[in-house]
Structure formats: structure tokens, C-alpha cells
Amino acid sequence: MRLNVKKALIFVSCLVILWVLISYASVIEVPRSAPQRDPAVEIENKIIKLQKQVDAQMAESKSLLAKVNKLKKLSGGENVGEDNSLKDAEVMQHLSQPILPVLVIACDRVTVQRCLDNLVKFRPSKETFPIIVSQDCGHNATYEVITSYTASDPTISVVRQPDLSEIVLPRVKVKFRGYYKIARHYKFALNHVFETLGHEAVIIVEDDLDISPDFFEYFLGTYPLLLKDPSLWCISAWNDNGKLEVIDMSRPDLLHRTDFFPGLGWVLRKEMWQKLAPKWPTAFFDDWLRNPVNIDGKACIRPEISRTYSFGKVGVSKGLFFDLHLRNIQLNMEYVEFTKLNLTYLLKDHYDDTLASTVYNLPEMSASEVVASSDLSSDPVRVMYSNAKTYQRAAKKLGLMDDFRSGVPRTAYRGIVTCFIRGRRVYLAPSFEWNKYDPTWG
């Protein structure tokens, strides 16, 4: 009996040892070389995989198109057909984040390098803010500076205004020839951006502008206002009354509506350009845009503290305007995250009612009293004017620009000009019920 048990134990032990040896051999066995694959089969497999990816992308695109059409139907719009000029990817990008190209108007200043350096330095995204330089004048040295940027960055491009012919003018207008060339150049450049390149909006700067660190953030945050409010036609980075003595430096986030086109860094939409282009003036386009008739009575947004600064002393104005005014404009240096701010207070329905109820319930002071006041109170006040002369007298006393364009005072909105003097908000406001601007003023 004991012998049988002993044999059984030996037999079981042998089985265990044999099992361990077999298992070990299977683990350490060198794998056989992989069989040779048929290239034709590999190509076929890749094609099948690619087809599946294409089918998935098509399904995603159709889903996106259906969502877009649903949104347009709810808003009263037409469906987006398969032949629409906006492709699905472009629609999705437009809904999530706009593409805002920067159009640089250049001529014969090699100092365009300073402008381009700042645009490149502060640009947060090459894709969102491609740079397009439009050069007039045929100045080769300036063109070489521009192409030094385009050669190394595909998101920076240059186009040259092809019509360099002299503009024939009567003798009394010859001295204004530069303004005629500028208007011609702007029309070419804007047609290039909107019609040739097909962009929906553009930021326009000239080759003699510095920009603030939050220049691009400013336009990203304010651009949606142009889409929401049909009473707006532009967003500007400039405050005509942006001197240190008449602005609130503690409020770099503060924005205003204005009936006076500021220019000097501004956003224009294609929709508005298509209305302006057929009647574009032959000269002095900026003053033409300051006539309420030409812009259908629409307004712009402008900042309390300018986001641009002009360093171009020499130009068609011969430097006179620069010395008298432009050199004193304050450039904002504090970064404001406009995309995170609630800017609905700038929409017309909110802004108009609030402005009127605020201004005409304030205590009244004269311009002389405001300037001479030793009261450190921060309570806002209003200064009244009754006609062009009383406006100019008060504006000059307060340190504001006192001129008009088509009857519109600089920075005015519904006849009201706001500034910040000696620690208090001041509103220069009409003493009469304002209905529209009087083009005979000025």
C-alpha cells in the first residue's frame, strides 16, 4: 500500500515537472518571423480605412449643416445649400470664432516696419488675425520691408495698388491730390479684402499706428456687437478726445457709442462695405464717413482710452494735426479681457435710455466752473450748450476738440460729448431736445 502511494506521488511529481517545463518552453520560444504581407492587400485595407474616415466626416458635416439650417430657419433666414459659398468648416469657424484679418494701408513709409513689428508681437493667433498689407505709391524700399515679413510668414501677405496714375484735378484742388489717392487706395484695398479674398470683416490700420497690448482682444470682444446691433456700423480703437487730461485712466475697460467716425484702427463688415462701395467718395473719405446721411445714421463703438497711437508726423496733413493733437493722445497699456466682459450695455436699446436718464438728472455746472473747481467730489455733472458757438466755447474750455464734421462734434453721441476732468465725469449736452445734427454747424 505504501509502495503504491509512493509511486503515485512520484508520478504526480513528474507530471508537475513536465507541465512546468512545457510552460517555460512556450514562454521563451523565439517567435517566428512574420509572414510576408501582400502589398495589394495592404493598399486595399488602407483604402477601406480611408473610406470609413471620409464617410464619418461626411456624416459629421451633414449633421453640422442641419444644425445651421435649423438655426437660420428659427431666425427667419434661408437654408444653406450645398452650393453655398460658405463651406461647412467655415460656417463652424464663423459661429465659434470670427476670422478678423488686419488690413495695413501702406504707401512710402519704411517705418511700416514699426507697425508690422507690433502687430506680430501682440497678435495672439495667426489664424484668427492674418495680416494683409496693401501698398500704394510704388515705393520699392517700403515694398522690400513688407516682403521681408511675407517671405517668412504665410499668414502675412502683400498686394500692390495697381493704378499709380496721376489724378487730374482743377488747379484749386491740386494741393489735395494726396487725399484723392488715399480714397482710391482704400477702395481698392477694401475690395481686395472683401470681394477678392472673401472675408466677412476686417480690422483696418494705417502704416503709422502703434497698438496697445490688448488691441486684438479689444476687437475680439467688441466684434459680436456688430452682429447683434443693426444700429452699429463700426468698432474703432480711437478716442479723438483721448488726451490724459480728459479721460479716466482708471477705466481702461470703459467703452462708448459715438456718432462721429473715429477711424485710426477700426473694424468694418463686408455687409456695410457693399453699401458704401458704390458711393465711395473720390477724396476725404473719413470726413465723408462722418456724415450721418452716408452711413444711414448708424453709430460706432469707441474706447475711453485709445488702443492705437499715431507716430506718423509727416503725411498729407504736413504734420500740423499731429503737433496740435495726435501726439497728446494716450495709448492704453493695461490689458483688458474684453471677451470676458458683459458689453450689452452698449446695445442701442440699453445705452440710449440710460444715457438720457443719467445726463439730464445730473447737477449743472458751467465749463469754467468745472475747470476751476477745487471740489474733489467725484459726482458727475453736465455742462449745457445751446448752439454751435456755445458748444465750441465750452469744449475749448474743457480741453476738448471743438470742431464739427457735417454738424457732428467729435466723439458725440446724440449730441452728448463725455469726458473726465479733475476726477469727475462731465457730460457736455444740448439744452434743447436733440433730434438730429445740424449740418450748418461748423
Side-chain angles (χ1 to χ4, degrees), residues 5-31:
V5 171
K6 185 175 181 180
K7 288 181 178 180
L9 288 172
I10 293 173
F11 179 74
V12 170
S13 298
C14 290
L15 287 178
V16 171
I17 293 171
L18 180 63
W19 178 80
V20 170
L21 290 173
I22 293 173
S23 298
Y24 178 74
S26 66
V27 170
I28 65 172
E29 181 182 9
V30 178

Side-chain angles (χ1 to χ4, degrees), residues 10 14 74 108 162 209 292 297 319 333 336 339 364 371 387 389 397 405 434:
I10 293 173
C14 290
L74 290 173
D108 57 359
L209 288 184
M333 297 307 293
V336 177
T339 54
E364 184 179 345
V371 173
N387 52 44
K389 288 185 178 179
K397 191 71 177 178
R405 293 293 186 273
W434 185 91

Side-chain angles (χ1 to χ4, degrees), residues 147-313:
T147 54
S148 70
Y149 292 84
T150 62
S152 59
D153 189 337
T155 66
I156 303 177
S157 60
V158 61
V159 62
R160 304 187 85 173
Q161 199 281 110
D163 184 4
L164 301 181
S165 63
E166 284 298 328
I167 299 173
V168 179
L169 296 170
R171 181 174 297 179
V172 294
K173 293 186 177 181
V174 168
K175 62 182 178 181
F176 300 124
R177 180 174 279 130
Y179 295 100
Y180 283 82
K181 290 183 177 181
I182 290 172
R184 179 175 67 182
H185 184 193
Y186 262 83
K187 186 171 186 178
F188 163 79
L190 290 170
N191 274 329
H192 177 74
V193 169
F194 290 127
E195 305 304 334
T196 303
L197 301 181
H199 289 292
E200 292 299 312
V202 65
I203 302 171
I204 305 158
V205 300
E206 296 187 3
D207 57 1
D208 61 346
L209 288 184
D210 283 335
I211 62 171
S212 67
D214 63 351
F215 174 86
F216 292 100
E217 173 71 6
Y218 170 73
F219 284 120
L220 267 184
T222 54
Y223 176 69
L225 295 170
L226 282 181
L227 305 177
K228 296 177 183 178
D229 191 339
S231 72
L232 293 172
W233 77 273
C234 87
I235 307 289
S236 174
W238 181 259
N239 177 4
D240 278 290
N241 286 316
K243 293 181 291 186
L244 183 63
E245 299 81 7
V246 291
I247 56 176
D248 186 353
M249 289 297 294
S250 70
R251 292 295 311 277
D253 62 317
L254 182 59
L255 308 179
H256 308 272
R257 291 176 70 101
T258 178
D259 297 316
F260 189 95
F261 169 60
L264 295 182
W266 51 293
V267 167
L268 178 69
R269 292 186 65 204
K270 181 178 183 178
E271 180 182 51
M272 188 64 182
W273 172 245
Q274 290 175 334
K275 296 177 181 178
L276 297 174
K279 52 184 181 179
W280 192 249
T282 55
F284 304 103
F285 80 89
D286 46 355
D287 284 342
W288 182 82
L289 290 172
R290 289 164 183 152
N291 187 332
V293 174
N294 297 325
I295 54 172
D296 299 328
K298 296 177 184 286
C300 293
I301 299 297
R302 59 99 175 166
E304 173 78 5
I305 309 174
S306 291
R307 263 58 189 188
T308 55
Y309 176 81
S310 176
F311 59 82
K313 179 176 180 178

Side-chain angles (χ1 to χ4, degrees), residues 416-431:
I416 299 172
V417 171
T418 180
C419 57
F420 193 80
I421 298 174
R422 306 197 68 176
R424 74 164 86 228
R425 178 62 54 182
V426 178
Y427 296 92
L428 184 51
S431 59

